[in-house]
Amino acid sequence: MQDVVVFGFGPFRLDPDTRQLSREGRPLRLTSRMFELLLFFVQNGGRPIRKDELMDAVWSDSPVEESNLPVTVSALRKVLGERRGQHQYLLTLPRYGYRFTPRVEWHRPAAEGPVAAAPPRQAFGTAKAQAVVVLPFRAPGGDETVAAIGQGLANAVASGLTRRGRTVFRPGADPLTAPPDLERLRQMGRRFGAPAVLDGSIFRSGNRVRVAVELVRVRDAAVLWAERFDETLGDPFAVEDAIGGRVIEALLLRLSGDHHPRGLDGDTRSVAAHQAYLKGRYFWERRTEASLRQGITCFEEAAAHDPAFASAHLGVADCYFLLSYYGAIPPAEGYPKVRASAQKALEIEPSLGIAHTSLGCVSLFYDWNAKAALHAFQRALALNPEHARTHLWYSEYLRVSGRFDEAIAAMERARALDPLSLVVNTSLGLVLFYARRFDAAVAQARKTLEMDPYFGIAHWVLGLALEQQHDYEAAITEFRTALGLSGRSTLMLATLGHACARARHRADAQHVLDELRRLATRRHVSPYALAVVHGGLEKKDAALACLEQAVAERTSWLCYAAVNPVLDTLRGDPRFEALVLQIGL
């Protein structure tokens, strides 16, 4: 940590050299163990951390019981000012461990602001700089067969790069189950003197396997390259050959920085634009507010490299759509940008069917024009009937219309086209939830979490379904997990408040309501989120007043008002029924 001296998160600063924690310049008292624990959390921010890992890191020098960990965590929460049920800084992961949730910034001693990461524009230059650390590929699902394939795949990639004259380091042979944290990646690169680390994961759904890889630069933790590869599961050696060869070729292209004379997959001949686009899709799939904003930056960079790259403009549209859809930005700010970017993509490539899907989403969730939305989705399906994402959002249109059997069939079609997609599998669970098939929704959400236990939206869907089964405590646990993994989405925070209210934890629900109001003074918070909590508390007047504000704002989630079980406490009230008619869907 020679290049970083002070960590910042929220109003706090943590100085490893002086072993001092301060809040807005005021020193706070920590015991030695509390300091070591907080330092480990901050250095590993954003990833789930096992209890045994924390014990090894903080209590390795003394034989103590595991019960010391929750006691120290509780004391740390008090110092940080966390109130019961908030989990603003430390999220408990039941039967697993903890996750440090706030964004962490790194400060130099004399710097007034955070250290900025240099943009990953330059390729590696010298032969030494082309060295890479190849980590064992993780198998999050615990499938031994898949883990073995991941092991062989990492070996194949390392061997292939070595044969091509690249220096490769292998730090270990045991597959990991959880993603390595940022500092661990940097330490591995520094240990071997390599400027980049290749991290990968592999999991299975049915007879398909998906491999996700990313190349991370050690100097500033920039994602230089990220991509997914799907393959039918058969002969393990065939899978290694099929995917390993593609990974090696892509890495060689990125390590050398050469421009390929032929067109790449997609619609650009620019390597720089293509790589920026891949990084954008990587961030887009994470579906947190922070990752979506990173995605916009990457897609705009891709479009700057190649203004005629239609998919780059569409990527901008996709990110702004999700930011608007989940309530991270005002609809009036996001949806016009979705429409403009999607139309720009169509001007460049009129046959790009998925761009019509984006326009259909604007028509449905912002214009509240079901006829225009249907026309756009039908146009998209006519141009490309094999695009899973179009079937997914067409399913949303059917769900809004209350045509659940058709909506489920459309989502099943999306899953058949992309069986390993976490988003598609999660969305299937959400359709089942709206269809009030709660047992099936729970089962589907759990199947998705078997694919990736760290996908926050799947925990959220599971919580929604469990709440409707009146298993409130389990639902609250899932919502809190989703909240931590999503970067504290206000939509997920609202459903946590709703579940707390239904469980008669009214004080906790009020804490959520207070937090949403505080957040609204600093960033956009949809009035729909406030309405959800008020509805759970059975404060109908307040809930309906917020929903009227949401109508004026054209909040996306009001499209589901007629079918959403979360709003059941308001049904039967003439004001609510009038509001549904006003939406017009």
Side-chain angles (χ1 to χ4, degrees):
M1 297 300 300
Q2 295 177 354
D3 59 340
V4 177
V5 177
V6 179
F7 296 101
F9 58 96
F12 297 98
R13 293 293 181 270
L14 186 69
D15 189 335
D17 290 339
T18 63
R19 298 179 66 82
Q20 179 66 61
L21 173 69
S22 61
R23 179 182 181 126
E24 297 177 341
R26 179 172 59 87
L28 301 174
R29 294 186 62 181
L30 295 178
T31 66
S32 177
R33 297 297 184 194
M34 289 167 65
F35 177 85
E36 294 294 339
L37 184 62
L38 179 58
L39 180 61
F40 191 80
F41 275 131
V42 168
Q43 290 175 330
N44 293 272
R47 76 171 179 94
I49 308 173
R50 298 187 311 275
K51 294 178 183 178
D52 59 345
E53 187 178 355
L54 287 166
M55 294 298 296
D56 290 342
V58 180
W59 284 276
S60 59
D61 59 346
S62 59
V64 296
E65 298 293 330
E66 189 178 289
S67 59
N68 282 269
L69 177 59
V71 172
T72 308
V73 168
S74 177
L76 191 56
R77 281 185 165 135
K78 290 180 181 178
V79 171
L80 296 176
E82 276 195 349
R83 302 164 80 177
R84 183 174 179 269
Q86 273 191 330
H87 302 288
Q88 184 178 359
Y89 299 103
L90 291 170
L91 174 70
T92 300
L93 304 177
R95 299 181 300 280
Y96 188 90
Y98 300 90
R99 181 175 182 269
F100 190 72
T101 59
R103 177 183 176 185
V104 177
E105 296 176 338
W106 301 345
H107 299 257
R108 299 191 191 281
E112 295 182 356
V115 178
R121 296 179 182 272
Q122 298 300 321
F124 302 120
T126 66
K128 180 181 178 181
Q130 292 174 2
V132 63
V133 177
V134 178
L135 299 182
F137 282 25
R138 292 172 281 107
D143 187 317
E144 291 184 359
T145 300
V146 172
I149 293 175
Q151 179 84 358
L153 186 55
N155 291 336
V157 170
S159 299
L161 290 173
T162 301
R163 289 195 302 269
R164 303 292 186 91
R166 299 306 188 267
T167 302
V168 177
F169 300 102
R170 300 297 309 279
D174 296 329
L176 307 172
T177 56
D181 60 279
L182 174 62
E183 181 57 25
R184 188 172 174 189
L185 286 176
R186 290 163 64 89
Q187 287 174 352
M188 285 180 179
R190 289 168 179 164
R191 173 185 168 191
F192 294 100
V197 178
L198 180 72
D199 177 40
S201 62
I202 179 170
F203 55 89
R204 171 168 65 175
S205 176
N207 68 338
R208 302 280 292 178
V209 291
R210 167 163 292 174
V211 175
V213 291
E214 61 175 338
L215 185 67
V216 178
R217 185 163 56 196
V218 172
R219 170 166 55 84
D220 54 9
V223 178
L224 296 170
W225 170 75
E227 194 159 349
R228 309 182 314 187
F229 302 91
D230 293 349
E231 194 66 36
T232 301
L233 181 61
D235 180 359
F237 295 106
V239 174
E240 291 173 18
D241 289 343
I243 298 180
R246 283 181 280 168
V247 172
I248 292 167
E249 291 304 319
L251 278 173
L252 290 171
L253 179 65
R254 189 61 190 89
L255 291 168
S256 66
D258 292 338
H259 285 261
H260 204 290
R262 300 187 304 273
L264 299 167
D265 290 340
D267 48 6
T268 183
R269 299 175 66 89
S270 165
V271 172
H274 183 65
Q275 296 297 345
Y277 174 80
L278 291 177
K279 285 184 288 181
R281 283 297 169 201
Y282 170 80
F283 289 122
W284 170 77
E285 286 206 353
R286 289 185 174 183
R287 273 171 163 67
T288 68
E289 180 179 350
S291 71
L292 290 170
R293 292 185 185 280
Q294 286 177 292
I296 290 171
T297 299
C298 293
F299 289 129
E300 288 179 341
E301 180 184 340
H305 284 298
D306 183 357
F309 189 4
S311 294
H313 296 286
L314 187 59
V316 173
D318 291 341
C319 288
Y320 274 117
F321 168 61
L322 290 179
L323 286 170
S324 306
Y325 180 74
Y326 288 117
I329 60 177
E333 174 187 337
Y335 279 109
K337 293 178 180 178
V338 179
R339 179 179 278 124
S341 296
Q343 288 175 339
K344 177 65 175 178
L346 282 172
E347 290 173 7
I348 297 168
E349 181 50 71
S351 64
L352 193 61
I354 191 65
H356 288 282
T357 301
S358 296
L359 292 176
C361 289
V362 177
S363 295
L364 181 63
F365 294 108
Y366 183 60
D367 298 337
W368 295 346
N369 186 332
K371 184 177 180 180
L374 176 59
H375 176 75
F377 291 137
Q378 288 175 335
R379 179 62 175 156
L381 289 168
L383 287 168
N384 187 353
E386 303 303 312
H387 204 300
R389 190 146 46 98
T390 296
H391 289 278
L392 185 155
W393 290 108
Y394 176 57
S395 173
E396 298 285 332
Y397 160 82
L398 294 168
R399 184 208 306 177
V400 167
S401 306
R403 295 155 60 182
F404 293 115
D405 289 341
E406 294 173 80
I408 292 168
M411 198 64 74
E412 290 284 10
R413 177 58 180 156
R415 187 168 66 162
L417 291 167
D418 195 356
L420 298 177
S421 168
L422 294 171
V423 173
V424 170
N425 279 276
T426 301
S427 296
L428 175 57
L430 196 54
V431 171
L432 291 166
F433 164 77
Y434 276 93
R436 299 176 187 266
R437 302 180 189 179
F438 302 125
D439 290 346
V442 167
Q444 178 58 34
R446 285 179 170 152
K447 286 180 183 177
T448 306
L449 289 170
E450 289 175 4
M451 296 168 63
D452 186 347
Y454 309 112
F455 194 56
I457 301 176
H459 284 283
W460 178 65
V461 173
L462 179 56
L464 290 172
L466 288 170
E467 182 185 351
Q468 294 301 317
Q469 293 180 323
H470 307 294
D471 192 349
Y472 296 120
E473 299 305 324
I476 288 169
T477 297
E478 294 301 328
F479 286 140
R480 284 178 172 158
T481 302
L483 190 60
L485 294 172
S486 69
R488 298 193 73 77
S489 156
T490 55
L491 177 64
M492 296 182 189
L493 182 60
T495 49
L496 170 61
H498 186 277
C500 288
R502 304 305 292 167
R504 298 294 184 257
H505 301 325
R506 298 183 69 85
D508 290 340
Q510 187 62 48
H511 285 323
V512 169
L513 200 56
D514 292 343
E515 181 176 351
L516 287 170
R517 287 169 173 160
R518 285 195 302 271
L519 288 171
T521 64
R522 306 194 305 269
R523 51 160 295 178
H524 176 256
V525 173
S526 170
Y528 172 83
L530 298 169
V532 166
V533 186
H534 283 304
L537 290 166
E538 298 185 8
K539 297 180 178 179
K540 287 189 177 182
D541 290 344
L544 289 165
C546 290
L547 287 180
E548 288 175 359
Q549 295 174 24
V551 169
E553 187 184 81
R554 306 191 78 81
T555 298
S556 307
W557 283 77
L558 281 182
C559 288
Y560 307 110
V563 297
N564 190 351
V566 174
L567 300 178
D568 280 354
T569 57
L570 303 176
R571 297 196 193 285
D573 189 301
R575 294 170 296 175
F576 179 78
E577 304 306 329
L579 183 145
V580 171
L581 291 175
Q582 183 180 351
I583 295 167
L585 291 173

